Amino acid sequence: MHIDIISVLPELLTSPFEHSIMKRARDKGLLQVAVHPLRKWAVNEYGQIDDYQYGGGAGMVMMCEPLAAAITELSANRKFDAIIYVTPDGKTLNQRMANTLSLKENLLIICGHYKGIDERIRQKYVTIEISIGDYVLSGGELAAAVLVDSIGRLLPGVLSDETSALTDSFQDNLLAPPVYTRPVDFEGMLVPDVLMSGNHAKIEEWRYEQALQRTKERRPDLMID
Ligand code: ADE
């Protein structure tokens, strides 16, 4: 999979993909992430990419021309399956969306800043608008990093144990069951006997029950659809 990201703060997007699972995905050639500084397509020599908003009010708006030029140039190199704008007024990201996006080959993500991007760019180019939750970040970069991580870990071959993404929380609309490691006795708190029984059918049954109970208690909304 190839993901292009357009950003006014590309520095914010280096570290998230240089460690752990994202690094492995890139090292294995399963995921390429290219971050493009929007100022490359600025409208003047001062690097301008934003301007005052029509109608007045505080906050700048990211201009049409630099974004349109960036999208057009990047689209000439590859055919995007989706052009994503990360924004608090988008559709809230969930595991199902991450699963769907992980099946695509080429994605373009636009990070907003200030008051956001000019509405006409959204109308003309953007195909999906995604929020990572009901709160406002200072810019779209952290949201883009979350989105790429949630997609990248699902690409076949990225996780060493292929089944481990399948047992993540949300994959079957259930939260994950509790997990334990050594020691068996931590300050009097014991690991449940069943996990040390060696009976895999019983262990699976216990995990399912625990997942069900945890979901009912913490996120009953997940069990409705
Ligand atoms: N940009 C600012 N806040 C955001 C959010 N919650 N989700 C996606 N993009 C954002």
Side-chain angles (χ1 to χ4, degrees):
M1 171 181 281
H2 183 100
I3 303 180
D4 286 301
I5 306 178
I6 300 173
S7 161
V8 281
L9 280 175
E11 299 81 6
L12 276 178
L13 286 164
T14 43
S15 174
F17 310 125
E18 282 176 359
H19 307 278
S20 179
I21 291 169
M22 289 303 102
K23 178 176 182 329
R24 198 190 313 155
R26 295 174 82 189
D27 289 349
K28 283 186 174 175
L30 300 168
L31 174 67
Q32 290 142 26
V33 181
V35 184
H36 306 276
L38 182 61
R39 287 194 204 281
K40 190 175 150 197
W41 293 277
V43 291
N44 55 34
E45 65 203 82
Y46 308 109
Q48 187 181 358
I49 47 88
D50 59 344
D51 211 335
Y52 297 102
Q53 53 176 315
Y54 279 115
M60 306 293 271
V61 174
M62 289 167 65
M63 304 168 77
C64 287
E65 293 93 332
L67 283 166
I71 295 166
T72 305
E73 189 175 322
L74 295 172
S75 301
N77 296 335
R78 58 190 86 242
K79 164 126 191 47
F80 292 112
D81 300 300
I83 298 185
I84 301 166
Y85 175 44
V86 278
T87 173
D89 58 0
K91 196 168 184 297
T92 311
L93 179 64
N94 58 27
Q95 193 62 41
R96 194 182 305 155
M97 286 159 78
N99 290 345
T100 305
L101 289 168
S102 74
L103 302 173
K104 311 286 184 198
E105 268 175 36
N106 293 297
L107 300 177
L108 173 61
I109 303 176
I110 302 168
C111 303
H113 260 270
Y114 323 113
K115 279 279 162 206
I117 68 175
D118 190 297
E119 185 65 21
R120 292 164 291 185
I121 293 295
R122 299 171 73 157
Q123 287 168 356
K124 181 161 182 190
Y125 298 104
V126 171
T127 59
I128 316 176
E129 302 191 328
I130 296 178
S131 162
I132 63 158
D134 290 342
Y135 43 83
V136 178
L137 303 166
S138 314
E141 283 75 13
L142 297 181
V146 167
L147 179 61
V148 171
D149 190 298
S150 73
I151 296 169
R153 63 197 303 287
L154 297 174
L155 301 176
V158 169
L159 296 180
S160 43
D161 177 357
E162 280 283 5
T163 61
S164 69
L166 297 177
T167 56
D168 283 346
S169 279
F170 305 115
Q171 279 300 6
D172 43 13
N173 269 4
L174 289 178
L175 300 180
V179 291
Y180 298 85
T181 185
R182 287 188 291 181
V184 169
D185 183 341
F186 171 67
E187 297 179 359
M189 302 165 80
L190 301 178
V191 173
D193 283 340
V194 60
L195 295 179
M196 293 175 298
S197 67
N199 182 336
H200 291 290
K202 273 239 160 333
I203 292 172
E204 279 319 300
E205 193 183 321
W206 180 87
R207 285 183 171 149
Y208 180 69
E209 288 302 326
Q210 290 288 317
L212 215 53
Q213 190 182 322
R214 195 160 265 205
T215 311
K216 264 188 207 152
E217 280 166 16
R218 299 182 184 191
R219 293 293 306 277
D221 56 298
L222 288 177
M223 303 182 80
I224 295 166
D225 68 11

